Amino acid sequence: MLVLGQGARRFHVAASLNAKAKVAMSRFEPNSSINYDKLRSNIDIVRKRLNRPLTLSEKIVYGHLDNPAGQEIVRGRTYLRLRPDRVAMQDATAQMAMLQFISSGLPKVAVPSTIHCDHLIEAQTGGAQDLQRAKEINQEVYNFLASAGAKYGVGFWKPGSGIIHQIILENYAYPGVMLIGTDSHTPNGGGLGCICIGVGGADAVDVMAGIPWELKCPNVIGVKLTGTLSGWTSPKDVILKVAGILTVKGGTGAIVEYHGPGVDSISCTGMATICNMGAEIGATTSVFPYNHRMRTYLEKTGRGEIAAQANENQDLLVPDSGCHYDQIIEINLSELKPHINGPFTPDLAHPVSDIGSVAEKNGWPLDVKVGLIGSCTNSSYEDMGRAASLAKQALDKGLKCKAQFTVTPGSEQIRATIERDGYAKLLRDVGGVVLANACGPCIGQWDRRDVKKGEKNTIVTSFNRNFTARNDANPATHAFVTSPEIVTALAIAGTLKFNPETDFLTAPNGEKFKLVPPTGDELPACDFDPGQDTYQHPPADGSGLRVDVNPQSNRLQLLEPFDRWNGNDLEDLQVLIKVKGKCTTDHISAAGPWLKFRGHLDNISNNLLIGAVNTENDAVNKIRNHLTGEFGGVPDVARYYKKHNVSWVVGGDENYGEGSSREHAALEPRHLGGRAIIVKSFARIHETNLKKQGLLPLTFSNPADYDKIRPDDKISIVGLKSFAPGKPLKAVIKHSDGSSETIELNHTFNETQSEWFQAGSALNRMKELQK
């Protein structure tokens, strides 16, 4: 058995580590373990039962089955009961997760768990100032999370420590682990051979409570990589290309598994970049096979003992020869060109060489106003080094960025190391502002002041998501996602028309020159500098500690249980809104300035569906109140219906709820009186979150029936008394003209999930089982 520590990068103290790092490592206590023997035993049981070769993802997933001998396993059909190794929560989602855990009445978490403070720091002027301001503004929330973590046995990474996914990669991820995280980009850990899956807070509570976690048995999409990355092409271009192929819903219900000889040309952190953005294609997660790049990263981050164990068990950490994939995509890395995706959706893929002409044709602004590098997707030492190599070339010719330029280090370790090694200075000298080690503009935590709201403009980022208004709350901002190298080049040139592979820049002295393709060390020649110690380990016994929530707080609110199902069909549900087109979790529960209310359900509910487009008038946050006949905001009308005991339903389009894992997008409609969401199709995490909160996520048996629903309809959902897995329900649509029609609705509830609905929520059901 191999024992890992809280902050595993500090568990194995390599002889070469400097004194500062040794001191930091001494503050961490081991509290979790991996047993490759147990993984092997479970895999052997399943292999004998299935009698076929297994993919890597199948090995890790099935290796964590609660009952490998008896679990029914059918890809895309059966629900698996799993035992993840650990839980990670970012601060915006951890508030509701910990409030739910407190409501469960349990004394302590059953698996190693951590909270990471990364979402509540707004980018304004620079790292140090923004961090200090965030600590002051969010003191109440940080104190709640720290004290709740101490009482219930959860590790606490303080604000300034870095982005959750980078911290996981540096500390907790290792080949073969299964981790769930309350953030959609948790799959980042797949770059280190892990199965890391984004979930809602209620799922995290299940795992922290020691309850087997349910996941529909994933299909497996294989991406075979051949050739070698070189020149301007980066790991980011792999997932930008895949997103263009699969679209934002093409990975739904599947794990994307990369394999083939091209894998070895990608660094460990590069693999993490690819897995991270796999969330944008709807994938359950993504994963790479264990190789020497992962071994080197483990050794460099102080986990040589883990690498040695992984080497001894490498057969568990790679796919079997002859294994079957449900779909195969092949990409030749030697032929892959730099890509840039957008605007407004991460699957609109363009070669960088084409984006200028495409932008001109479509009327997209050509001038790049801001270039932003970093985020959880692209903030590794290698990323920063390659960007810095371009900055140095520009500086050597007397050039600085024409666009504004920001840099977000992924962790305190990355920040300290790029400061020590001179990368940060180069990026500042070329015009960059180094922001705090946090999510910042990637999630809308950006106090942007260079353009007015509604002003059409272009930004380029190395982020993962570019939905309308996501980064700066401006729906007219055209956001494009690409690699840090391309962002840096476009920020220097100031225009989308610049192709760094072929075009020239002009120095102040009139000299024309081309940028040489970027270079950068995969890992630092010296060891990483861990920087400041930002981790709080929970005490051995926190039972005597108190977690106080002020009843007058506008940031935190203890939860009241939702009402149980009354045993009858849902009659005459008023259509609150029929949503037109794309409706992500950003549309359902916006981030940005709303993040401060993530621990207060009633206050955060004031952003319910304010970004969704109403089919009745093509307007945003303007719907008809069918009790008064007047128009109002979505949350206002929902509250009015709730006050007058009118339950309601939402109608939606394809891939409803794509994007973030935020369960507030499910909690809010439940809190304000919603009973069902009826759409053409759901994104995986959001569908599960709705079930967890006692709502009915239903899909049209015939997608064309979406057109039968009118904004002023009332809908009755019938058949609930015989509600059962695989058995469709009926919806009776009652039109205002007195006519009605009946349609069939599908669902994916299993028996356990049906009990959540009957109890009113998964948390209610958990409490029932404790009695």
Side-chain angles (χ1 to χ4, degrees):
M1 179 177 287
L2 174 64
V3 180
L4 302 181
Q6 287 273 19
R9 70 179 164 98
R10 297 176 171 88
F11 175 79
H12 175 69
V13 184
S16 61
L17 283 172
N18 59 37
K20 183 177 180 181
K22 289 181 181 178
V23 171
M25 287 188 177
S26 69
R27 299 173 183 167
F28 293 78
E29 301 173 26
N31 82 332
S32 61
S33 63
I34 179 173
N35 189 335
Y36 279 123
D37 291 340
K38 176 67 173 175
L39 191 67
R40 184 178 297 279
S41 174
N42 285 359
I43 291 171
D44 286 346
I45 292 169
V46 172
R47 193 195 308 278
K48 289 176 182 177
R49 289 182 54 207
L50 299 182
N51 192 31
R52 62 171 174 79
L54 300 177
T55 70
L56 167 60
S57 55
E58 287 183 310
K59 289 182 181 181
I60 302 176
V61 171
Y62 303 162
H64 285 82
L65 286 169
D66 181 52
N67 179 13
Q71 171 73 61
E72 184 181 5
I73 302 171
V74 182
R75 286 188 196 172
R77 284 182 48 199
T78 59
Y79 280 88
L80 307 178
R81 292 169 62 82
L82 300 164
R83 293 284 185 178
D85 297 301
R86 68 180 307 125
V87 173
M89 299 168 280
Q90 42 95 335
D91 51 354
T93 50
Q95 296 171 62
M96 198 58 68
M98 292 308 296
L99 286 166
Q100 290 178 88
F101 188 82
I102 291 170
S103 297
S104 75
L106 296 170
K108 191 174 183 177
V109 296
V111 301
S113 305
T114 49
I115 293 167
H116 303 259
C117 294
D118 61 1
H119 270 56
L120 301 181
I121 303 169
E122 184 182 52
Q124 282 191 335
T125 57
Q129 306 94 310
D130 295 345
L131 176 58
Q132 183 56 40
R133 179 173 177 270
K135 288 179 178 178
E136 294 168 1
I137 292 174
N138 302 306
Q139 182 179 7
E140 179 186 10
V141 171
Y142 292 148
N143 286 345
F144 165 73
L145 293 174
S147 60
K151 181 172 180 63
Y152 295 104
V154 179
F156 180 70
W157 288 84
K158 302 172 188 177
S161 59
I163 305 173
I164 178 173
H165 312 303
Q166 185 67 28
I167 297 294
I168 289 170
L169 198 71
E170 293 173 355
N171 295 273
Y172 302 121
Y174 52 84
V177 75
M178 173 174 275
L179 177 149
I180 66 165
T182 60
D183 189 279
S184 59
H185 293 107
T186 300
N188 188 81
L192 203 40
C194 323
I195 291 295
C196 297
I197 301 176
V199 299
D203 274 345
V205 172
D206 280 355
V207 178
M208 291 191 292
I211 298 171
W213 173 61
E214 286 196 337
L215 176 72
K216 181 174 276 190
C217 188
N219 290 315
V220 187
I221 298 173
V223 179
K224 182 178 180 180
L225 302 178
T226 59
T228 304
L229 287 178
S230 63
W232 284 91
T233 307
S234 75
K236 186 68 164 283
D237 296 307
V238 176
I239 185 58
L240 294 174
K241 178 70 173 179
V242 170
I245 295 169
L246 288 176
T247 77
V248 291
K249 62 179 183 177
T252 303
I255 293 177
V256 178
E257 186 171 312
Y258 294 86
H259 62 283
V263 167
D264 286 341
S265 75
I266 305 173
S267 67
C268 176
T269 52
M271 295 184 229
T273 291
I274 295 167
C275 292
N276 177 295
M277 198 175 159
E280 293 358 294
I281 58 173
T284 301
T285 192
S286 302
V287 67
F288 277 83
Y290 179 67
N291 66 1
H292 71 280
R293 310 298 282 263
M294 296 182 191
R295 182 183 71 241
T296 301
Y297 183 80
L298 287 168
E299 291 169 347
K300 203 68 174 180
T301 50
R303 294 174 287 174
E305 186 176 345
I306 302 172
Q309 291 282 332
N311 288 342
E312 293 176 9
N313 293 277
Q314 187 160 0
D315 61 306
L316 304 179
L317 308 173
V318 296
D320 290 338
S321 176
C323 65
H324 171 71
Y325 296 104
D326 297 287
Q327 178 181 352
I328 293 182
I329 297 168
E330 294 194 26
I331 297 176
N332 185 336
L333 301 179
S334 299
E335 298 175 354
L336 183 64
K337 291 294 185 180
H339 273 62
I340 182 168
N341 289 21
F344 307 123
T345 184
D347 58 352
L348 186 57
H350 321 273
V352 171
S353 57
D354 295 345
I355 189 60
S357 59
V358 173
E360 281 188 312
K361 179 180 178 182
N362 287 281
W364 302 335
L366 291 172
D367 289 346
V368 175
K369 289 287 188 180
V370 191
L372 306 97
I373 66 170
S375 84
C376 65
T377 318
N378 277 114
S379 58
S380 68
Y381 185 82
E382 181 182 37
D383 289 329
M384 296 299 174
R386 286 170 65 89
S389 76
L390 298 173
K392 186 176 187 307
Q393 291 182 54
L395 290 167
D396 287 347
K397 297 293 185 179
L399 278 184
K400 290 191 175 185
C401 291
K402 287 185 178 179
Q404 293 183 47
F405 187 49
T406 70
V407 181
T408 305
S411 69
E412 170 62 8
Q413 177 168 273
I414 292 296
R415 183 208 62 79
T417 306
I418 66 172
E419 287 285 0
R420 181 197 67 194
D421 294 351
Y423 292 169
K425 184 179 187 305
L426 284 169
L427 295 170
R428 277 194 293 263
D429 288 349
V430 84
V433 175
V434 179
L435 301 174
N437 314 322
C439 301
C442 182
I443 60 163
Q445 283 285 49
W446 183 16
D447 184 20
R448 188 181 182 193
R449 300 183 180 183
D450 63 299
V451 296
K452 295 179 181 179
K453 190 169 183 177
E455 182 180 341
K456 200 172 176 182
N457 74 100
T458 284
I459 64 173
V460 291
T461 82
S462 69
F463 305 160
N464 42 42
R465 200 165 277 164
N466 60 344
F467 300 140
T468 302
R470 175 175 173 84
N471 302 124
D472 61 0
N474 180 5
T477 293
H478 292 56
F480 296 84
V481 291
T482 184
S483 68
E485 301 93 308
I486 296 298
V487 171
T488 305
L490 294 180
I492 293 168
T495 175
L496 287 179
K497 295 188 73 174
F498 180 69
N499 176 8
E501 289 190 297
T502 58
D503 295 346
F504 288 79
L505 294 168
T506 303
N509 65 2
E511 176 190 356
K512 293 189 178 298
F513 69 99
K514 281 178 63 177
L515 292 170
V516 175
T519 58
D521 292 336
E522 178 178 345
L523 295 163
C526 301
D527 288 300
F528 280 108
D529 183 342
Q532 299 180 34
D533 180 13
T534 53
Y535 175 74
Q536 171 188 296
H537 192 72
D541 181 6
S543 59
L545 302 177
R546 289 178 56 86
V547 180
D548 292 323
V549 176
N550 184 347
Q552 306 304 316
S553 172
N554 71 348
R555 298 289 301 269
L556 298 166
Q557 180 187 46
L558 292 174
L559 298 174
E560 295 292 333
F562 291 130
D563 60 303
R564 289 180 54 84
W565 174 54
N566 64 10
N568 298 317
D569 288 336
L570 300 177
E571 297 282 352
D572 292 333
L573 302 177
Q574 179 67 56
V575 173
L576 177 70
I577 179 174
K578 182 182 176 184
V579 177
K580 180 179 180 179
K582 184 186 283 283
C583 190
T584 72
T585 48
D586 282 272
H587 294 86
I588 303 168
S589 177
W594 292 95
L595 284 168
K596 60 177 167 287
F597 298 124
R598 285 284 181 86
H600 196 294
L601 179 54
D602 195 56
N603 283 345
I604 192 70
S605 294
N606 288 323
N607 75 359
L608 174 66
L609 286 161
I610 62 175
V613 177
N614 181 11
T615 56
E616 184 175 8
N617 52 14
D618 284 340
V620 171
N621 199 29
K622 185 179 180 181
I623 62 172
R624 189 186 302 275
N625 182 327
H626 293 286
L627 296 183
T628 67
E630 299 175 352
F631 280 89
V634 180
D636 299 324
V637 175
R639 285 188 186 278
Y640 191 90
Y641 288 163
K642 181 180 180 181
K643 181 179 178 180
H644 290 82
N645 298 313
V646 174
S647 297
W648 48 263
V649 62
V650 168
D653 213 313
E654 296 278 5
N655 208 29
Y656 186 91
E658 71 173 279
S660 166
S661 70
R662 68 193 68 156
E663 66 180 337
H664 301 78
L667 283 160
E668 292 174 32
R670 183 72 164 98
H671 175 63
L672 293 185
R675 304 303 303 189
I677 311 293
I678 306 173
V679 301
K680 293 181 181 179
S681 65
F682 284 102
R684 175 190 64 86
I685 300 177
H686 186 59
E687 181 182 26
T688 300
N689 286 345
L690 291 168
K691 293 177 182 178
K692 287 279 186 177
Q693 303 308 333
L695 281 150
L696 287 173
L698 305 170
T699 56
F700 298 104
S701 179
N702 177 4
D705 286 343
Y706 167 86
D707 296 323
K708 294 180 179 179
I709 294 180
R710 303 171 190 171
D712 59 350
D713 283 343
K714 291 185 178 180
I715 298 176
S716 295
I717 298 173
V718 299
L720 288 174
K721 291 183 179 180
S722 57
F723 189 38
K727 184 178 180 181
L729 297 169
K730 298 287 185 182
V732 179
I733 306 171
K734 302 174 184 178
H735 302 307
S736 59
D737 61 7
S739 64
S740 67
E741 48 193 319
T742 300
I743 61 172
E744 187 175 81
L745 300 175
N746 294 328
H747 66 85
T748 61
F749 281 81
N750 60 24
E751 290 184 9
T752 299
Q753 294 167 347
S754 299
E755 292 171 355
W756 301 344
F757 169 72
Q758 293 161 2
S761 72
L763 187 58
N764 288 358
R765 181 57 180 158
M766 182 192 299
K767 290 181 179 179
E768 290 178 353
L769 294 173
Q770 291 175 23
K771 295 177 181 178

